[in-house]
Amino acid sequence: MTALAHETLEAVMPKVTTSPSGLDDVLWQVWKAMELPEGYHAEIVEGFIEVSPTGRYSHGRIANRLRRALDTFLPRGEFAAYQDMNVIHHRKAWIPDLFISLDDAEEHVTEDGLGIDATAVQLIVEVVSPGSDNITRDRTRKRREYARAGIAVYVLIDDYDAGGTVTVLSAPDPESAVYQDEVRASYGTGTTIPSGPAKGFTIGEDVTGPGGTG
């Protein structure tokens, strides 16, 4: 958690007027009350509120290349790729770099309108940002969170792993919070989505570039 996160928590804690029964309830109320500076977003990941800045250029370039490619690949009118939207699961809140859900997902929007329920999400993609905390969050903490939520496919695009790798995780086991199947490939070799609405879609050099910053 960044220093900004600690400062924000201190600022909004007095606004929490409910009597929560547990940590998840406290974090949920705090998260909803947070007012962040432009260019920052907050997520609830494994019992912590984590504040992150908007991604750097290389990060955004990969995410947007992938979004455009998926927009062409996905069945028109049935599924769509989304960005900049909250995914909610049992008072956890994530803002993936990209995810796939139904194109018409109104019935899956949470009652408070804050985001889309994780049960309607078919695939999540995270593009790893630099820094040990960011890397650990995407590679480890979010990996567990997404498996725990039953997200069918989790794709990790990682500039900081051996010069650039794409890891495709599938077959989640929510009880143990692990993905049972994993395919990992270097940038430039192509990695194919195994199931779901994006089945057969290959993440290749046209999305990642020939290599990362390693």
Side-chain angles (χ1 to χ4, degrees), residues 1-16 25-38 40-45 48-52 86 93 95 114:
M1 187 185 301
T2 65
L4 175 61
H6 286 292
E7 293 169 4
T8 306
L9 283 173
E10 291 175 359
V12 300
M13 267 298 189
K15 298 179 183 178
V16 179
D25 293 318
V26 173
L27 292 175
W28 181 252
Q29 296 299 328
V30 171
W31 177 79
K32 289 197 298 181
M34 293 179 77
E35 298 180 6
L36 297 176
E38 185 176 353
Y40 287 85
H41 65 254
E43 302 174 285
I44 304 174
V45 181
F48 291 91
I49 293 178
E50 302 197 17
V51 176
S52 305
N86 296 319
I95 307 176
L114 289 175

